[in-house]
Amino acid sequence: MADRLRRIRDRHFDCFAHLAKAAVEEPDDEDWPEVFDAELANIRNALEWGLATSRRETAVFATSLLWYWQARRLYNEGTQVLERVLRNPVLSAVERIDALLAAGLLVDKYTDRPLARDRYEAARQLAASIGDGGRQAKAARSLGWMLHFLMAAPSAVDAFTEALEIPDGLSISDTADAMRGLGWARATAEGNRSVALELHREARRLLEEADDAALPNHYLVEANLLVQSGQPREALALADKAVALAQRGIGPLTWALEARSRAGEALGDRELLHRALDDGIDAARTLESLKGGPEDFMGREGWEGNFQERRAHDAMTHGEVDVARDAVDSALRVLDDVAVLNVHDAGVRGRLLVIRARLAEDDGDLELASELYRQAIFHLRGGWAVSHIEAMGAVGRLFADHGDLEAGRLAAIRAVEQVERLGGPSFYPKFDLAVMSDDIESALSHATEGLQVQAAESRRGDVGLLRRRGAALAERGLLDEALTAADEAVAAELSGIGSFLDRARIRIELGDAAGARVDLVEGASGAQIGWASDQLQLATTLARLALLEDRPDTAVSLWSAVQDYRAANKRLAPRLARRFEEPLVELGVVTESRAANSREALDVLRRLVAAEFEALIEQGGPTRP
């Protein structure tokens, strides 16, 4: 009876291993997901039998199920099965490589990119040792993306280059993907985005010559890069091509509408942006789960959250705070209903939580803001290194800005440790930590060191470090050097008011009112002026400009509103703004809040800033050619 039972279990295993293999060999059959849903209990039992009896065929069976685990978000289940497969000592090298590649993809989806990196590296080394160029190239390409996401850009360049140099190692679509990855990694390592655009265009030509099915997806990726490179009209043309193809059933409509929304935003066409966002949300809500392909990298809830996130950013740019709050809350409610979030959906939820935390902080609800930041850090951990560290820095600044320096420094220390654990540059969090400790000299040293490292690597200084260095120089009174850093930051920044505002403040301290006006007007088009931090910086800058131009009543009005909000919100003056604000402090404005709450005080501040900014733009003044 025992022998008979074993034969039956073996035949059962063979049946469902064959089913899994058939689904991979005939992927165009749209009924496969429903077939596997119906047979899931049998598939699990067959897998368990194969694992328990160490059957060699279990490795192929398990890797054949990768698409299904992805499509149904069974990341943890698939990972556990593959880890058990990898413990089998008698696997062939090819079986082990395939299991490592599948395990890497699943743990990446399950927000553990450091572990995914390790799996891909192990697969790459093993494939190289047996001379399997195809699998080596595939592993190197996947490894390149993990290294890029984990901020190890030079190593990512090496991995992508290795993948592309192996003859016939990659399919045409995978070759184009590796070229895009190499472009991004080199852009990060060299500080030059044009190299990314050049490689993206080369990838597009390759796909167009081959009439490859991946072309619609490429249109979307390149359109987003064109937006970031300051070429929104070219981006819109590619996005429209992608939308037209998607409407014919070729390529993902959600991606196409995402690209169109970014182009509309960059063009300043709010009507186009809102139409693309509305269409995108409708497309997301009707999105069907696919077979783990590129269209399915986010679920319908993640896509809806993505579009709502863009709506919130647009609303904050135009001071529509309630619209932003409603968009974020709506998206979070949808994502709350998802039992398991993959890495992309979790990233969207993390970014939405950061926006909601900033809104709570602006409203004066510091306890809620702190909790939301912590939730965001949890969702961004391991999967989105840059956003994860930015969120850690944000919670540190929250504490420091409201007087709890010890908690702020602790959060900054954790951010430094996280960056160093990932092997990335820690200049940003070290700078913030030094500022929280009132050690401006050390902060300046960290920013300068970071820029020197970038220069030694033939990289252009990035905007963040240039702005930080300029702010520290200005606080120390080294205004000519600060102005040079601000000039470099303006040249490096594609959009946003930040660098222009920094330069305006330095020019005001140098007595150049006309130059400050030019910077304020030029930077206005990219300003996200809904946030309290931006409002406060704009208000203090406009107040100092009014003092310089002998308009004391305007200065007093703006400074009073700033002090009123800070008192209601319990927000301290930034440590890198003390020198700039000294002349305003001498106005002797009462700092006790007259507002009923933080939100009311912020509304008053917004109205005053908007009125003064409108007057500034109407008055015009000197402009650059």
Side-chain angles (χ1 to χ4, degrees):
M1 182 61 75
D3 289 342
R4 183 181 179 192
L5 180 59
R6 184 181 183 88
R7 289 195 300 274
I8 292 172
R9 293 295 300 268
D10 282 339
R11 290 173 63 188
H12 181 268
F13 175 92
D14 292 339
C15 172
F16 289 98
H18 176 76
L19 180 70
K21 185 179 178 181
V24 173
E25 292 174 348
E26 303 169 19
D28 294 332
D29 190 333
E30 296 180 358
D31 294 331
W32 281 124
E34 289 72 24
V35 170
F36 277 64
D37 288 343
E39 298 290 358
L40 185 55
N42 276 315
I43 290 169
R44 285 170 172 164
N45 283 330
L47 269 176
E48 183 57 38
W49 176 253
L51 290 165
T53 56
S54 300
R55 284 194 55 165
R56 281 281 303 276
E57 300 91 334
T58 309
V60 175
F61 186 1
T63 53
S64 298
L65 291 170
L66 178 62
W67 69 266
Y68 181 74
W69 285 325
Q70 284 185 269
R72 294 301 189 244
R73 301 187 183 189
L74 299 172
Y75 313 117
N76 197 31
E77 177 180 331
T79 297
Q80 290 175 0
V81 170
L82 289 166
E83 291 300 320
R84 291 175 67 186
V85 166
L86 288 167
R87 289 198 289 269
N88 188 343
V90 299
L91 291 182
S92 70
V94 168
E95 290 169 341
R96 187 168 297 279
I97 293 166
D98 289 344
L100 285 166
L101 290 171
L105 183 57
L106 282 181
V107 292
D108 168 31
K109 292 279 189 176
Y110 200 54
T111 70
D112 194 344
R113 281 180 165 159
L115 181 57
R117 173 198 58 202
D118 296 344
R119 292 288 178 263
Y120 290 138
E121 176 59 29
R124 186 195 68 81
Q125 291 181 7
L126 183 55
S129 72
I130 65 170
D132 190 330
R135 286 179 169 83
Q136 180 185 346
K138 185 177 180 180
R141 177 183 70 93
S142 298
L143 176 63
W145 281 114
M146 290 305 99
L147 291 166
H148 174 65
F149 288 135
L150 294 171
M151 305 190 303
S155 298
V157 170
D158 293 341
F160 284 124
T161 302
E162 177 183 329
L164 289 167
E165 288 180 346
I166 295 174
D168 301 322
L170 297 172
S171 66
I172 290 175
S173 58
D174 284 348
T175 299
D177 180 75
M179 291 168 68
R180 289 193 295 261
L182 178 60
W184 279 116
R186 284 188 56 192
T188 303
E190 300 168 17
N192 183 2
R193 191 166 283 161
S194 63
V195 69
L197 191 54
E198 179 183 339
L199 281 163
H200 275 64
R201 284 171 171 159
E202 188 177 340
R204 170 156 49 102
R205 287 192 291 271
L206 175 68
L207 292 169
E208 286 175 339
E209 289 172 4
D211 193 24
D212 193 273
L215 184 59
N217 294 348
H218 178 85
Y219 283 151
L220 314 171
V221 177
E222 188 178 337
N224 288 338
L225 177 58
L226 283 164
V227 167
Q228 296 177 42
S229 302
Q231 302 178 55
R233 294 200 177 278
E234 293 88 338
L236 182 60
L238 281 184
D240 286 343
K241 282 185 179 180
V243 170
L245 288 171
Q247 289 172 339
R248 289 164 42 202
I250 306 171
L253 181 57
T254 46
W255 277 28
L257 291 167
E258 156 80 359
R260 179 181 278 177
S261 73
R262 287 182 182 271
E265 181 181 41
L267 287 165
D269 188 339
R270 290 194 83 194
E271 182 179 352
L272 172 61
L273 169 63
H274 290 175
R275 189 165 60 248
L277 292 176
D278 289 339
D279 291 345
I281 291 171
D282 289 341
R285 289 173 177 173
T286 59
L287 188 67
E288 294 184 5
S289 181
L290 302 177
K291 287 186 57 174
E295 303 90 342
D296 200 34
F297 83 111
M298 274 198 304
R300 66 182 68 182
E301 301 87 359
W303 272 114
E304 182 171 347
N306 181 72
F307 287 115
Q308 294 286 23
E309 179 190 0
R310 300 196 61 73
R311 189 188 299 281
H313 279 297
D314 172 69
M316 291 307 297
T317 299
H318 294 85
E320 300 167 354
V321 183
D322 289 337
V323 173
R325 186 180 287 107
D326 290 345
V328 172
D329 288 346
S330 173
L332 287 174
R333 283 194 295 271
V334 170
L335 285 163
D336 282 342
D337 292 335
V338 180
V340 179
L341 295 173
N342 69 19
V343 63
H344 299 282
D345 293 338
V348 171
R349 193 173 197 282
R351 296 194 303 271
L352 287 165
L353 287 164
V354 168
I355 298 173
R356 193 65 183 84
R358 291 189 67 182
L359 288 167
E361 182 180 358
D362 287 356
D363 290 343
D365 193 341
L366 306 184
E367 185 176 343
L368 175 60
S370 176
E371 174 58 29
L372 290 170
Y373 275 129
R374 287 192 176 95
Q375 290 182 30
I377 289 167
F378 173 80
H379 284 288
L380 296 167
R381 74 196 190 290
W384 301 95
V386 174
S387 298
H388 184 226
I389 291 160
E390 286 176 350
M392 294 175 76
V395 75
R397 289 189 295 273
L398 168 71
F399 291 131
D401 289 347
H402 294 275
D404 192 345
L405 284 175
E406 189 57 36
R409 282 194 289 264
L410 181 60
I413 289 170
R414 287 174 176 165
V416 171
E417 292 172 346
Q418 174 71 353
V419 176
E420 292 178 342
R421 185 180 73 82
L422 296 174
S426 56
F427 306 115
Y428 283 94
K430 284 182 177 178
F431 180 95
D432 291 343
L433 179 58
V435 170
M436 290 176 195
S437 303
D438 276 331
D439 188 351
I440 307 303
E441 192 67 35
S442 291
L444 179 58
S445 176
H446 290 309
T448 302
E449 183 186 354
L451 292 168
Q452 289 172 344
V453 168
Q454 292 174 354
E457 296 173 349
S458 301
R459 296 169 56 187
R460 183 175 61 184
D462 69 58
V463 176
L465 280 177
L466 287 167
R467 289 190 62 191
R468 283 166 167 78
R469 182 170 182 271
L473 287 166
E475 188 65 15
R476 287 189 58 206
L478 303 173
L479 299 179
D480 289 336
E481 293 180 55
L483 185 59
T484 299
D487 288 340
E488 293 176 14
V490 167
E493 188 165 42
L494 292 171
S495 62
I497 195 174
S499 297
F500 286 103
L501 189 53
D502 290 346
R503 190 165 65 179
R505 291 162 78 88
I506 297 167
R507 284 182 163 154
I508 287 169
E509 289 214 63
L510 289 168
D512 182 3
R517 278 176 166 266
V518 171
D519 279 327
L520 286 166
V521 172
E522 281 195 28
S525 62
Q528 287 200 0
I529 60 173
W531 299 112
S533 56
D534 297 320
Q535 293 292 319
L536 290 165
Q537 196 171 9
L538 279 167
T540 54
T541 306
L542 292 167
R544 278 292 309 272
L545 180 62
L547 275 184
L548 185 60
E549 295 177 337
D550 197 25
R551 294 183 285 118
D553 290 344
T554 299
V556 168
S557 176
L558 287 163
W559 182 241
S560 297
V562 167
Q563 295 294 76
D564 201 31
Y565 172 70
R566 283 180 177 167
N569 188 267
K570 298 182 177 60
R571 189 186 292 240
L572 304 178
R575 284 167 170 69
L576 292 180
R578 290 172 178 171
R579 177 187 173 91
F580 185 78
E581 293 187 3
E582 281 177 3
L584 298 172
V585 173
E586 294 171 3
L587 293 173
V589 172
V590 177
T591 58
E592 183 179 348
S593 178
R594 299 177 299 278
N597 53 54
S598 179
R599 189 179 299 186
E600 181 183 297
L602 185 55
D603 287 342
V604 172
L605 180 65
R606 284 195 180 100
R607 287 196 293 272
L608 285 172
V609 168
E612 182 63 18
F613 218 78
E614 186 176 339
L616 184 74
I617 294 171
E618 286 179 356
Q619 291 164 11
T623 57
R624 295 189 183 87

